[in-house]
Amino acid sequence: MPSPTDTERGEQSWRIAVLADSDTRWKWGGLTAQRLVPDVDPTVGVDGLLLRGRATPTPRQLREVGLPAASLREVTVSEFLSVAGDYDLVVLSCVGGTVQAMLHGLAHRWNSTPRENGPRPVLVTGYVGVVYEKLTDGLLLRSGADLVLANSREDAERFRSVYRGVGAAPESVVECALPFLGGKPYAPDAARPFTVTFAVQPSVPADREGRLHLLNRAVDHARRYPDRQVLIKLRSKPGEQTTHVEELPYQRLAERLPGGLPGNCRLVYGHMGEVLDGTDLLVTVSSTAALESLHRGIPTGILTDLGIRESLGNHHFVGSGCLVSWDELDEGRLPTPDLEWTTGHGVVSDSPYEAAFDAARARVAELLGRGELPPIAPYYTPTTAPGYLPGVLARHGLAPDGAPRAEPPEA
């Protein structure tokens, strides 16, 4: 079959697939697809492929994310590899090891055998939020995609530095912004109580003592300020999984609090954007919700109660002006963000938010306009990482050359 013409591959006819392995990654991937190709109707041109695994989102989680799509269906690795060629653009919204496995699986399918239906899809990947750990490891696992999206100027500089340092392709890094920033700017509303939202995280902190400390301090704040509402914004219900494993759900800890929660403190679920609509102070350890809050101009506190540590991720906010303890919040302090920090970290800028995606849109359009794309070339190969890559691929059912392993015969 001849390659599609530029007209046939015009924006209105682009077919997009988003491979996601959790609810947060579906949110990032689906919104990224809409930002990169704003003229495509997602209810027609975007398919959500939910990778079957530990964190495959439940119907409730998908409803909470609330993204439109032409279809949403679970797939296995082999099913994804067999259908990926039907699309013009594929967003790989997964953990780094899964992205690497998919790149090798797709390279095995396409690099040695010419495709009959035109150029291979453009491959896009990135991060769903704050990159505070495994920077080099995560970046090299994403190497080989056509675009590796950076959510800020700071991230773009760090990413390119890593790629240049190992001889990978720094030009694949494209600066943009988190796709889910937006929402109405903050404006105090005297018609409702001052509302403090504590945005919890599944695995930060991971220990019971730390989680109980933060929960108790939120409850104490509610008791100290009976005229305020204190919301404890939960990520998932017990039994549901997210990108990060939650061993100690706050719901379970709250059930065991002596005297229970005060009347002005409650657990809430729901879309973070809708919760932020009624928030006057966002408090968290290092949740990406802090970036959403800062973008809107909501006072935002990054908790230092458990220290400022790389394992907590709150070290990412050094210099932001937002580091604060519950003691300081109890005393009435409202953090004031540093404009230079927020600009460099993709939260605010002197240009419209939508303009942050212009470079990525232009790169995608240029690649889609080509008659052919180069072979997929991940940095990791059986030669450069013989003691690492085979294990990454094996965990996804792939052989060291990226070929799907034969399924064992049924007994």
Side-chain angles (χ1 to χ4, degrees):
M1 181 183 298
S3 298
T5 66
D6 288 352
T7 300
E8 289 169 335
R9 289 185 66 156
E11 291 190 9
Q12 294 297 337
S13 60
W14 285 352
R15 292 198 62 202
I16 304 170
V18 176
L19 180 71
D21 56 7
S22 71
D23 57 338
T24 55
R25 295 187 191 278
W26 162 238
K27 177 182 177 180
W28 180 88
L31 288 172
T32 292
Q34 294 181 37
R35 299 292 187 190
L36 294 180
V37 192
D39 291 336
V40 167
D41 180 352
T43 64
V44 176
V46 178
D47 288 333
L49 307 178
L50 308 174
L51 191 62
R52 190 169 300 153
R54 176 192 63 80
T56 306
T58 65
R60 189 204 68 81
Q61 289 173 308
L62 292 172
R63 287 192 301 271
E64 185 170 296
V65 173
L67 285 183
S71 67
L72 276 171
R73 66 183 188 275
E74 288 188 21
V75 296
T76 62
V77 168
S78 60
E79 288 169 343
F80 166 73
L81 295 176
S82 68
V83 303
D86 297 337
Y87 297 91
D88 300 298
L89 175 69
V90 174
V91 179
L92 299 171
S93 186
C94 305
V95 296
T98 300
V99 172
Q100 181 73 178
M102 299 307 101
L103 291 171
H104 278 274
L106 295 174
H108 180 269
R109 292 185 68 89
W110 298 336
N111 283 0
S112 59
T113 304
R115 284 166 37 82
E116 296 182 353
N117 57 341
R120 66 167 175 81
V122 175
L123 303 175
V124 177
T125 191
Y127 290 86
V128 303
V130 174
V131 183
Y132 66 84
E133 62 178 351
K134 300 180 181 178
L135 172 66
T136 300
D137 187 21
L139 277 173
L140 295 184
L141 289 171
R142 289 166 172 82
S143 173
D146 298 300
L147 277 78
V148 178
L149 300 181
N151 297 321
S152 68
R153 183 183 65 214
E154 176 81 8
D155 279 354
E157 292 171 355
R158 293 192 299 161
F159 293 4
R160 292 184 185 120
S161 177
V162 170
Y163 280 173
R164 280 193 295 267
V166 300
E171 64 274 11
S172 65
V173 176
V174 181
E175 179 185 340
C176 57
L178 285 166
F180 45 76
L181 301 184
K184 64 182 183 181
Y186 172 63
D189 186 353
R192 59 172 172 76
F194 186 94
T195 299
V196 180
T197 297
F198 172 37
V200 310
Q201 296 166 261
S203 58
V204 177
D207 62 292
R208 177 182 293 273
E209 182 180 359
R211 295 171 83 80
L212 272 174
H213 171 84
L214 296 180
L215 177 61
N216 280 320
R217 292 309 304 264
V219 171
D220 289 346
H221 189 82
R223 292 194 176 111
R224 180 184 290 261
Y225 289 95
D227 58 334
R228 291 185 173 187
Q229 285 285 337
V230 175
L231 307 179
I232 299 172
K233 172 63 175 68
L234 304 169
R235 283 284 291 106
S236 59
K237 293 188 175 182
E240 294 179 336
Q241 298 294 337
T242 60
T243 300
H244 302 284
V245 177
E246 185 169 23
E247 299 288 356
L248 298 167
Y250 277 93
Q251 300 94 314
R252 297 287 187 247
L253 298 176
E255 290 172 356
R256 295 171 172 80
L257 288 179
L261 298 177
N264 63 328
C265 180
R266 57 192 175 91
L267 310 178
V268 298
Y269 296 93
H271 191 280
M272 178 56 75
E274 295 175 357
V275 175
L276 289 176
D277 286 343
T279 293
D280 298 287
L281 171 63
L282 188 283
V283 181
T284 187
V285 176
S286 58
S287 170
T288 301
L291 303 181
E292 296 184 65
S293 177
L294 286 167
H295 180 77
R296 292 180 181 221
I298 300 170
T300 302
I302 302 299
L303 292 170
T304 63
D305 286 50
L306 306 177
I308 302 171
R309 296 184 283 156
E310 283 81 357
S311 61
L312 297 175
N314 54 358
H315 72 291
H316 176 83
F317 293 88
V318 168
S320 68
C322 297
L323 296 169
V324 68
S325 69
W326 270 117
D327 277 349
E328 293 171 304
L329 294 173
D330 285 348
E331 293 169 1
R333 179 183 166 192
L334 290 179
T336 301
D338 179 87
L339 182 59
E340 182 178 354
W341 188 95
T342 53
T343 300
H345 288 76
V347 178
V348 299
S349 70
D350 54 6
S351 59
Y353 172 59
E354 280 299 321
F357 301 89
D358 287 351
R361 290 189 193 112
R363 180 73 65 83
V364 167
E366 186 269 326
L367 291 172
L368 283 168
R370 292 186 185 181
E372 194 57 67
L373 292 173
I376 300 169
Y379 173 76
Y380 285 136
T381 68
T383 300
T384 61
Y388 182 42
L389 179 63
V392 173
L393 300 182
R395 287 193 291 273
H396 294 82
L398 302 179
D401 64 352
R405 292 186 182 273
E407 295 288 341
E410 294 186 7

PDB file of all heavy atoms in Angstrom, residues 112-126:
ATOM      1  N   SER A 112      13.060  -4.078  10.878  1.00  0.00           N
ATOM      2  CA  SER A 112      13.605  -5.008   9.888  1.00  0.00           C
ATOM      3  C   SER A 112      12.646  -5.316   8.756  1.00  0.00           C
ATOM      4  O   SER A 112      13.062  -5.782   7.695  1.00  0.00           O
ATOM      5  CB  SER A 112      14.002  -6.320  10.580  1.00  0.00           C
ATOM      6  OG  SER A 112      12.878  -6.909  11.217  1.00  0.00           O
ATOM      7  N   THR A 113      11.358  -5.030   8.962  1.00  0.00           N
ATOM      8  CA  THR A 113      10.355  -5.345   7.943  1.00  0.00           C
ATOM      9  C   THR A 113       9.631  -4.079   7.519  1.00  0.00           C
ATOM     10  O   THR A 113       8.983  -3.435   8.353  1.00  0.00           O
ATOM     11  CB  THR A 113       9.316  -6.348   8.483  1.00  0.00           C
ATOM     12  OG1 THR A 113      10.001  -7.515   8.959  1.00  0.00           O
ATOM     13  CG2 THR A 113       8.334  -6.741   7.391  1.00  0.00           C
ATOM     14  N   PRO A 114       9.731  -3.678   6.260  1.00  0.00           N
ATOM     15  CA  PRO A 114       9.040  -2.457   5.817  1.00  0.00           C
ATOM     16  C   PRO A 114       7.536  -2.569   6.051  1.00  0.00           C
ATOM     17  O   PRO A 114       6.924  -3.606   5.823  1.00  0.00           O
ATOM     18  CB  PRO A 114       9.366  -2.405   4.312  1.00  0.00           C
ATOM     19  CG  PRO A 114      10.600  -3.233   4.156  1.00  0.00           C
ATOM     20  CD  PRO A 114      10.495  -4.320   5.178  1.00  0.00           C
ATOM     21  N   ARG A 115       6.961  -1.481   6.568  1.00  0.00           N
ATOM     22  CA  ARG A 115       5.528  -1.449   6.801  1.00  0.00           C
ATOM     23  C   ARG A 115       4.796  -1.212   5.490  1.00  0.00           C
ATOM     24  O   ARG A 115       5.234  -0.441   4.647  1.00  0.00           O
ATOM     25  CB  ARG A 115       5.179  -0.336   7.806  1.00  0.00           C
ATOM     26  CG  ARG A 115       5.498  -0.684   9.228  1.00  0.00           C
ATOM     27  CD  ARG A 115       5.468   0.515  10.151  1.00  0.00           C
ATOM     28  NE  ARG A 115       4.418   1.467   9.827  1.00  0.00           N
ATOM     29  CZ  ARG A 115       3.149   1.365  10.201  1.00  0.00           C
ATOM     30  NH1 ARG A 115       2.766   0.325  10.885  1.00  0.00           N
ATOM     31  NH2 ARG A 115       2.286   2.293   9.886  1.00  0.00           N
ATOM     32  N   GLU A 116       3.668  -1.870   5.332  1.00  0.00           N
ATOM     33  CA  GLU A 116       2.907  -1.759   4.092  1.00  0.00           C
ATOM     34  C   GLU A 116       1.984  -0.555   4.077  1.00  0.00           C
ATOM     35  O   GLU A 116       1.546  -0.126   3.019  1.00  0.00           O
ATOM     36  CB  GLU A 116       2.082  -3.036   3.878  1.00  0.00           C
ATOM     37  CG  GLU A 116       2.931  -4.286   3.671  1.00  0.00           C
ATOM     38  CD  GLU A 116       2.075  -5.506   3.412  1.00  0.00           C
ATOM     39  OE1 GLU A 116       0.828  -5.377   3.534  1.00  0.00           O
ATOM     40  OE2 GLU A 116       2.625  -6.576   3.107  1.00  0.00           O
ATOM     41  N   ASN A 117       1.679  -0.018   5.231  1.00  0.00           N
ATOM     42  CA  ASN A 117       0.683   1.067   5.285  1.00  0.00           C
ATOM     43  C   ASN A 117       1.306   2.409   5.654  1.00  0.00           C
ATOM     44  O   ASN A 117       0.722   3.201   6.369  1.00  0.00           O
ATOM     45  CB  ASN A 117      -0.445   0.717   6.256  1.00  0.00           C
ATOM     46  CG  ASN A 117       0.077   0.427   7.650  1.00  0.00           C
ATOM     47  OD1 ASN A 117       1.246   0.137   7.829  1.00  0.00           O
ATOM     48  ND2 ASN A 117      -0.814   0.508   8.630  1.00  0.00           N
ATOM     49  N   GLY A 118       2.514   2.666   5.148  1.00  0.00           N
ATOM     50  CA  GLY A 118       3.106   3.980   5.311  1.00  0.00           C
ATOM     51  C   GLY A 118       4.068   4.062   6.478  1.00  0.00           C
ATOM     52  O   GLY A 118       4.463   3.044   7.055  1.00  0.00           O
ATOM     53  N   PRO A 119       4.469   5.286   6.848  1.00  0.00           N
ATOM     54  CA  PRO A 119       5.443   5.471   7.921  1.00  0.00           C
ATOM     55  C   PRO A 119       4.931   4.911   9.239  1.00  0.00           C
ATOM     56  O   PRO A 119       3.733   4.851   9.491  1.00  0.00           O
ATOM     57  CB  PRO A 119       5.593   6.997   7.996  1.00  0.00           C
ATOM     58  CG  PRO A 119       5.088   7.506   6.687  1.00  0.00           C
ATOM     59  CD  PRO A 119       4.035   6.555   6.242  1.00  0.00           C
ATOM     60  N   ARG A 120       5.881   4.525  10.066  1.00  0.00           N
ATOM     61  CA  ARG A 120       5.512   4.080  11.416  1.00  0.00           C
ATOM     62  C   ARG A 120       4.946   5.266  12.191  1.00  0.00           C
ATOM     63  O   ARG A 120       5.163   6.428  11.837  1.00  0.00           O
ATOM     64  CB  ARG A 120       6.729   3.508  12.138  1.00  0.00           C
ATOM     65  CG  ARG A 120       7.808   4.547  12.438  1.00  0.00           C
ATOM     66  CD  ARG A 120       8.834   3.999  13.425  1.00  0.00           C
ATOM     67  NE  ARG A 120       9.951   4.920  13.652  1.00  0.00           N
ATOM     68  CZ  ARG A 120       9.918   5.955  14.472  1.00  0.00           C
ATOM     69  NH1 ARG A 120       8.796   6.239  15.133  1.00  0.00           N
ATOM     70  NH2 ARG A 120      10.972   6.726  14.635  1.00  0.00           N
ATOM     71  N   PRO A 121       4.233   4.992  13.294  1.00  0.00           N
ATOM     72  CA  PRO A 121       3.708   6.089  14.117  1.00  0.00           C
ATOM     73  C   PRO A 121       4.824   6.914  14.758  1.00  0.00           C
ATOM     74  O   PRO A 121       5.923   6.415  15.012  1.00  0.00           O
ATOM     75  CB  PRO A 121       2.887   5.371  15.184  1.00  0.00           C
ATOM     76  CG  PRO A 121       2.594   4.027  14.616  1.00  0.00           C
ATOM     77  CD  PRO A 121       3.756   3.683  13.757  1.00  0.00           C
ATOM     78  N   VAL A 122       4.523   8.158  15.013  1.00  0.00           N
ATOM     79  CA  VAL A 122       5.384   8.995  15.848  1.00  0.00           C
ATOM     80  C   VAL A 122       5.194   8.556  17.291  1.00  0.00           C
ATOM     81  O   VAL A 122       4.054   8.387  17.754  1.00  0.00           O
ATOM     82  CB  VAL A 122       5.025  10.490  15.677  1.00  0.00           C
ATOM     83  CG1 VAL A 122       5.834  11.347  16.640  1.00  0.00           C
ATOM     84  CG2 VAL A 122       5.255  10.929  14.234  1.00  0.00           C
ATOM     85  N   LEU A 123       6.294   8.366  18.015  1.00  0.00           N
ATOM     86  CA  LEU A 123       6.251   7.853  19.382  1.00  0.00           C
ATOM     87  C   LEU A 123       6.613   8.967  20.368  1.00  0.00           C
ATOM     88  O   LEU A 123       7.672   9.591  20.253  1.00  0.00           O
ATOM     89  CB  LEU A 123       7.215   6.680  19.545  1.00  0.00           C
ATOM     90  CG  LEU A 123       6.981   5.504  18.583  1.00  0.00           C
ATOM     91  CD1 LEU A 123       8.074   4.453  18.760  1.00  0.00           C
ATOM     92  CD2 LEU A 123       5.607   4.897  18.790  1.00  0.00           C
ATOM     93  N   VAL A 124       5.720   9.202  21.325  1.00  0.00           N
ATOM     94  CA  VAL A 124       5.880  10.282  22.300  1.00  0.00           C
ATOM     95  C   VAL A 124       5.812   9.695  23.704  1.00  0.00           C
ATOM     96  O   VAL A 124       4.984   8.815  23.982  1.00  0.00           O
ATOM     97  CB  VAL A 124       4.769  11.337  22.134  1.00  0.00           C
ATOM     98  CG1 VAL A 124       4.899  12.432  23.198  1.00  0.00           C
ATOM     99  CG2 VAL A 124       4.803  11.943  20.734  1.00  0.00           C
ATOM    100  N   THR A 125       6.662  10.183  24.583  1.00  0.00           N
ATOM    101  CA  THR A 125       6.589   9.774  25.978  1.00  0.00           C
ATOM    102  C   THR A 125       7.006  10.951  26.863  1.00  0.00           C
ATOM    103  O   THR A 125       7.302  12.037  26.371  1.00  0.00           O
ATOM    104  CB  THR A 125       7.457   8.531  26.261  1.00  0.00           C
ATOM    105  OG1 THR A 125       7.160   8.014  27.551  1.00  0.00           O
ATOM    106  CG2 THR A 125       8.938   8.855  26.164  1.00  0.00           C
ATOM    107  N   GLY A 126       7.007  10.738  28.168  1.00  0.00           N
ATOM    108  CA  GLY A 126       7.346  11.813  29.100  1.00  0.00           C
ATOM    109  C   GLY A 126       7.065  11.383  30.522  1.00  0.00           C
ATOM    110  O   GLY A 126       7.015  10.190  30.826  1.00  0.00           O
TER     111      GLY A 126
END
